[in-house]
Amino acid sequence: MNYKIGIDVGGTFTDFLLTSDQGESEIYKVLSTPDDPSVGLMNGLTEMATARNIPLLDFIKNVSAIVHGTTVTTNAVLTRKGAKTGLLTTKGLRDALEMRRGIREEQYNNRYKNVEPLVPRYLRYPIVERLDYEGKVITPLDETDVEQAVALFQNEGIEAVAICFMNSFAFSSHEEKAAKIIREKLPDAYLTLSATFLPSIRFYDRISTTVLNSYVGPILRSYLTNLIQKLDRIGFEGILLIMQSNGGVISPQVAMDNAAVTLLSGPAAGPVAGIEYTAIQGYHDCITVDMGGTSFDAALIKDKTPLVTTEGEINRLRLALPMLGIVTIGAGGGSIGWVDEGGLLRMGPQSAGSKPGPVCYNLGGELPTCTDADLILGYLDQDYFAGGKIPLKYELAEKAIKEKIAQPLGLDLVEAAAGMYRVINVNMAAGVREVSVKRGHDPREFPLVAAGGAGPVHACMIAHELEIPLIIIPKESSIFCAAGMLMSDLKHNFVQTYTTRLDDLDVPKFQKIFREMKTEATKLLLSENIPKHSIQHIFSLDMRYVKQYHEVNVVITAADLENVDVHHMAEIFHPEHNRLFGYSLQEEGTPIELINLRLLSVGETAKPHFKQEAYDRVDPSAALKKTRQAYLPMSNIFAEVPVYDGHKLRYGNKIEGPALIEQINTTTFITPEYNVLCDKFGSYTMYLKTRADEIETRLLSQDEGPDSLRT
C-alpha cells in the first residue's frame, strides 16, 4: 500500500495525517519537541509503523510523499534566536530598519518602544554606492567598503549576510558585485540579495524582508539538512515537500534558499483544507478557524480563493512576501488564565505549551489554562483525553483555577471556569471579525469551518457570538493543517517593479518582464518534477490612482498579456478599488499608475481523494457511549448530556444538542441551540435548530440522500 503523510509541527502537538492510495486516512498526534522538532516528527513516524506491527524501515518504504509545515523559522524570530546577521546597505540608510516607515504603531502610547532590529547597528555596514529609481548609476560601488565590511563580519563570527541597496530592484549589478566578494571571503555564510529575493519598491519592506530571510536561513538549512539525513538513514526514498506561507509547497532546497517563505507556513495550510472540505458540500466561501494548543488562526475564503497579502508582519517586523491573510492570536487549549491589575479575567496570549502543558496534564504546570477550564465544565473526559494516552487530573485543574482565578475574583469554581471559557471564546470571535467584518464581509454569510484539537469544543459559542448559523467540523479537524498540506500545490511567487502611468505603458517591456518571470518559474517547477501540462501561471498587476499610496492587485489573463489593452486593465481596476476602499475615481478621470508585475506559478500535485460512506440511518444511538454532566453556557447550568463515540457515527446520523461527540484527538461540544448531521465524507455539519429545514434541505440537495433525514 502506498502512503502520503502531512505533518504540522505546532507549539504543543505535532500532527500527522496518514493517507493511503485506497482513500483511507488515519490521524496521529505526538507531543512536540521544541528543542529539536525533528525528534517529534520521527516519533510520529515510529508510532505509525508500530500501529502496523512492522519495523519503521519497512513502513517508510511505502511512503511516497511527506509534506511538512514547520515553525522552526517562526520560533527563531519570536524568540530572537536566529543567526548572527550582518547587513550591507547604501550609505546613509543603515538606520532604515529602525526608522521603518516613520509611522508610530501606537500613536497615543507615550511609553511606546520601537521594535528592536534583528541586526544591531554596528553590524549594519554602510556602502558607498547609489542608483536612481530607473537603475542608472549615480555613484559607483566602492568595493573597498565591502571588503572592510567582510573583515568586520569575519571578526564578529557572522553566520548570515543580507545585501540591500537603494533602488537595486531596477539594476542588480551593485548587489551582485558585493555578493561576489562575500562569497569569496565568507563562503559558509548564508547570503540574501534583495535584488533577486524581492525586486520591488518600498525600501523598508525590502530591507526588512531581506534581513529576515538571512536571519532564519541558517536555522532552516540546519533543520532541514538534519531532517533529510534522518529520513535517509531510515530509507525514505519518496518526495519531501515544505509548506510555505502562500498556501503552496516547495522542495527543501528551494525552502533553504528562500527561508522567509516558511515564516507562517503552518497556519497557511488551514485555508487550503477549508476550501476542499467546504467544496465537497457545494460551498465556495467559508471562514476557517483552527484552535490548537497555543494559538488560534482565522482566515476567510471567498470564491474558493483565500485572501493573500504582501503586507504581513511577524513579531512587528515587516515581511513583504505573498502570504495568506491569516489572523493569529494567542488563544489555544494551553492559553493561561490570569487576573490583570484592574481585576479583569484574561486568557492568553501566554501559553503553557507542551512543557509543562495545562495543569491537568500533571507534567508540572501550575497556571490554569483553557483545557483545565474545559475539564471542569465537563467538556473533556479525564480518562479518554487523547484516547486515554494523557489521563487528566481533575483535582489539579480544580486547585489551580480556585487559587489563581476563583479566589482573586470572589467566584466559585464553576463561575471561574465558565468565565475562562467565555473570555477565550470572545477573544476568538474578535479574531474572526478581523478577517471578515474589517475586510467588508458579513461573517453570517459564511460557513464556519472549525478545526484544531480544541476548536470543536468552542465552535458553537464562537458561532453564536458572530450569529453564524452553520458550522462544518471536518473529519480530520484535529490535524486540519496537516490535512491541508496534502491538498496543496507547489507555488512560486515572482514580482518585478515597473512603475509607469497606465496610459504610458511600454507594451514590449511589459510583456518582456512577464515572459522572463514565466520562463524562470517554468524552469523551477520542472526542476521540482512537475510535468509541463500541470503548470499554471497566474498574472496580476499592482495598480493605484496617481498620488495615492495603497495598491490594488488585479488578475489579468494570458490573453490580456498577449493583446494588451490598458482600457480593459482600468475597467477591472476601478470596481476592485471600490470594493476594497469604498470609492472609485473613474468618473473623475484620475490616472492610474502601474507599480508591480506579479506572477504566481502553480504546479498541480496529486491530491488524496475523499472516501464516501454508505448511508446508515438517522438514529445515532449505535454510537452512544454514556451520559455525563456538562455546563450549558447559555443557561448557566449543568445538565446530563449524551456522549457519542465519533468513530462510530455514520452518514445520516443526526444528533440534537446538547450533546458531546468524542474522538481520540478532539471533542465536539454541541450546545442546545444546534443540531449535527454526519455527512457522507465523515464530517459533522452543525446548524442552528431555527434554520434546520433550510440547511438540512440544502445538505441533502447535494446528493440523493434519504428522505427520512428530512423528518
Side-chain angles (χ1 to χ4, degrees):
M1 188 177 292
N2 186 43
Y3 298 107
K4 292 183 179 180
I5 304 173
I7 305 174
D8 177 31
V9 179
T12 305
F13 288 99
T14 297
D15 300 336
F16 301 80
L17 177 63
L18 176 70
T19 65
S20 73
D21 50 11
Q22 306 297 317
E24 305 288 344
S25 63
E26 294 180 33
I27 295 170
Y28 293 86
K29 273 181 177 282
V30 300
L31 287 173
S32 294
T33 50
D35 295 337
D36 182 358
S38 67
V39 173
L41 189 151
M42 298 304 292
N43 289 342
L45 296 179
T46 301
E47 191 171 306
M48 295 177 195
T50 302
R52 285 158 180 74
N53 296 314
I54 59 175
L56 177 59
L57 298 179
D58 292 336
F59 168 71
I60 204 70
K61 292 177 182 176
N62 296 318
V63 178
S64 62
I66 293 176
V67 186
H68 177 28
T70 175
T71 56
V72 168
T73 52
T74 307
N75 293 338
V77 175
L78 296 179
T79 60
R80 295 276 174 155
K81 293 182 179 178
K84 190 172 185 180
T85 305
L87 170 65
L88 301 184
T89 191
T90 305
K91 186 176 181 179
L93 300 173
R94 72 189 298 188
D95 294 318
L97 286 176
E98 287 172 303
M99 295 170 65
R100 297 158 69 81
R101 285 185 169 179
I103 300 172
R104 187 167 171 160
E105 293 173 72
E106 299 179 18
Q107 297 181 22
Y108 305 107
N109 181 1
N110 291 328
R111 297 181 180 180
Y112 166 79
K113 291 184 179 180
N114 199 3
V115 64
E116 182 181 346
L118 296 175
V119 182
R121 193 173 194 271
Y122 79 98
L123 293 179
R124 292 178 243 143
Y125 203 94
I127 306 296
V128 171
E129 71 84 39
R130 195 59 184 258
L131 306 170
D132 69 8
Y133 74 98
E134 292 181 331
K136 297 176 182 177
V137 177
I138 298 174
T139 303
L141 175 73
D142 189 336
E143 295 187 11
T144 303
D145 281 354
V146 180
E147 291 172 352
Q148 290 174 349
V150 169
L152 171 65
F153 294 166
Q154 287 173 328
N155 290 335
E156 292 294 331
I158 289 297
E159 302 169 85
V161 178
I163 303 177
C164 185
F165 294 153
M166 174 66 81
N167 295 326
S168 59
F169 64 85
F171 184 56
S172 62
S173 177
H174 284 186
E175 286 196 6
E176 290 170 355
K177 289 178 181 178
K180 182 179 179 182
I181 297 172
I182 295 292
R183 291 190 180 103
E184 290 175 354
K185 303 291 182 66
L186 291 170
D188 296 329
Y190 188 97
L191 181 61
T192 307
L193 280 68
S194 75
T196 54
F197 185 65
L198 186 66
S200 64
I201 62 167
R202 295 210 168 103
F203 186 71
Y204 168 64
D205 288 22
R206 183 158 51 91
I207 194 171
S208 176
T209 305
T210 304
V211 166
L212 273 167
N213 192 69
S214 284
Y215 185 75
V216 301
I219 306 298
L220 184 66
R221 183 170 61 188
S222 175
Y223 170 71
L224 289 181
T225 300
N226 178 39
L227 176 60
I228 291 169
Q229 289 173 350
K230 287 184 176 181
L231 291 173
D232 286 343
R233 281 198 293 268
I234 63 174
F236 175 64
E237 297 179 350
I239 299 171
L240 175 64
L241 296 172
I242 308 301
M243 193 73 197
Q244 54 180 332
S245 306
N246 66 359
V249 293
I250 48 177
S251 67
Q253 186 58 55
V254 174
M256 288 187 239
D257 294 340
N258 304 275
V261 302
T262 70
L263 276 166
L264 294 170
S265 72
V272 178
I275 292 169
E276 297 297 329
Y277 281 110
T278 52
I280 57 178
Q281 289 198 12
Y283 296 101
H284 292 177
D285 310 328
C286 69
I287 294 172
T288 64
V289 296
D290 186 346
M291 181 185 181
T294 303
S295 62
F296 173 85
D297 306 312
L300 184 140
I301 290 94
K302 183 71 175 175
D303 297 324
K304 295 187 178 181
T305 305
L307 174 71
V308 176
T309 179
T310 55
E311 296 186 347
E313 288 190 351
I314 177 167
N315 208 23
R316 296 171 61 199
L317 302 167
R318 175 68 71 176
L319 182 65
L321 298 174
M323 64 183 69
L324 300 190
I326 299 171
V327 170
T328 299
I329 62 173
S335 292
I336 295 170
W338 53 288
V339 179
D340 68 13
E341 295 175 353
L344 295 176
L345 174 61
R346 302 293 186 92
M347 292 295 293
Q350 302 88 351
S351 173
S354 58
K355 293 180 180 179
V359 178
C360 60
Y361 281 15
N362 195 24
L363 297 176
E366 297 180 351
L367 300 176
T369 67
C370 174
T371 297
D372 296 307
D374 290 345
L375 175 62
I376 297 298
L377 297 175
Y379 305 143
L380 303 178
D381 188 329
Q382 63 186 89
D383 297 321
Y384 189 68
F385 189 77
K389 289 194 295 185
I390 305 178
L392 305 181
K393 300 295 183 181
Y394 183 95
E395 62 277 6
L396 294 180
E398 179 183 32
K399 180 176 181 292
I401 292 176
K402 279 184 177 179
E403 291 180 355
K404 304 294 185 180
I405 306 295
Q407 292 174 6
L409 294 177
L411 304 173
D412 64 30
L413 174 66
V414 173
E415 289 173 333
M420 294 170 69
Y421 184 73
R422 288 194 185 98
V423 169
I424 201 165
N425 290 337
V426 170
N427 290 348
M428 291 187 286
V432 175
R433 289 190 181 96
E434 288 285 331
V435 300
S436 57
V437 177
K438 287 195 174 182
R439 293 171 181 168
H441 298 286
D442 186 343
R444 295 173 295 184
E445 298 175 356
F446 293 76
L448 183 71
V449 182
V457 176
H458 297 258
C460 279
M461 296 312 297
I462 297 172
H464 185 271
E465 183 77 20
L466 299 165
E467 300 181 33
I468 295 175
L470 181 68
I471 307 165
I472 297 173
I473 299 177
K475 179 181 179 181
E476 285 86 15
S477 64
S478 65
I479 43 81
F480 192 57
C481 286
M485 290 169 192
L486 293 180
M487 302 168 185
S488 301
D489 293 316
L490 274 86
K491 292 183 180 179
H492 297 287
N493 291 96
F494 298 85
V495 60
Q496 179 63 60
T497 291
Y498 172 37
T499 55
T500 179
R501 282 179 47 154
L502 198 57
D503 48 14
D504 293 331
L505 182 68
D506 183 337
V507 173
K509 181 178 180 180
F510 175 81
Q511 293 174 322
K512 180 175 181 288
I513 294 173
F514 267 126
R515 187 165 56 249
E516 290 174 348
M517 289 194 293
K518 181 181 175 182
T519 299
E520 182 181 355
T522 302
K523 181 179 178 182
L524 182 56
L525 286 168
L526 290 173
S527 73
E528 294 178 308
N529 299 316
I530 297 295
K532 198 165 186 177
H533 63 80
S534 297
I535 295 176
Q536 177 188 8
H537 300 289
I538 301 171
F539 309 95
S540 65
L541 312 173
D542 288 345
M543 296 189 286
R544 66 187 181 192
Y545 290 116
V546 169
K547 296 184 180 181
Q548 294 203 349
Y549 183 77
H550 293 288
E551 298 95 37
V552 172
N553 182 262
V554 296
V555 176
I556 62 172
T557 66
D560 293 328
L561 188 57
E562 289 298 320
N563 304 297
V564 178
D565 183 347
V566 295
H567 298 292
H568 174 64
M569 293 178 185
E571 287 174 1
I572 58 179
F573 167 78
H574 293 301
E576 183 65 9
H577 191 284
N578 184 63
R579 186 187 72 81
L580 289 173
F581 298 108
Y583 69 94
S584 166
L585 300 179
Q586 182 174 8
E587 293 185 2
E588 288 81 353
T590 302
I592 298 171
E593 186 177 24
L594 177 63
I595 302 298
N596 294 314
L597 311 185
R598 294 187 182 274
L599 173 67
L600 170 61
S601 295
V602 181
E604 187 177 351
T605 60
K607 312 293 193 305
H609 63 274
F610 291 91
K611 187 176 181 179
Q612 298 185 25
E613 297 179 4
Y615 173 72
D616 186 64
R617 69 190 76 181
V618 175
D619 181 13
S621 59
L624 182 64
K625 294 173 65 175
K626 58 184 177 181
T627 63
R628 77 163 173 263
Q629 289 281 313
Y631 183 79
L632 305 183
M634 299 300 294
S635 306
N636 296 322
I637 60 170
F638 271 87
E640 197 76 15
V641 303
V643 180
Y644 294 91
D645 185 341
H647 302 289
K648 293 183 179 179
L649 288 172
R650 296 292 180 264
Y651 171 36
N653 290 175
K654 178 179 176 180
I655 298 174
E656 297 191 1
L660 290 159
I661 302 174
E662 288 185 341
Q663 296 166 264
I664 291 176
N665 296 301
T666 191
T667 297
T668 301
F669 174 47
I670 310 160
T671 66
E673 297 76 27
Y674 286 84
N675 286 343
V676 165
L677 265 180
C678 301
D679 71 18
K680 60 184 176 181
F681 300 102
S683 299
Y684 310 140
T685 300
M686 199 179 314
Y687 52 93
L688 282 171
K689 291 180 178 178
T690 55
R691 302 278 296 274
D693 289 344
E694 167 196 343
I695 292 174
E696 287 180 10
T697 300
R698 188 190 191 286
L699 285 172
L700 293 169
S701 68
Q702 302 304 317
D703 58 36
E704 298 178 359
D707 290 338
S708 59
L709 276 173
R710 296 187 174 89
T711 61

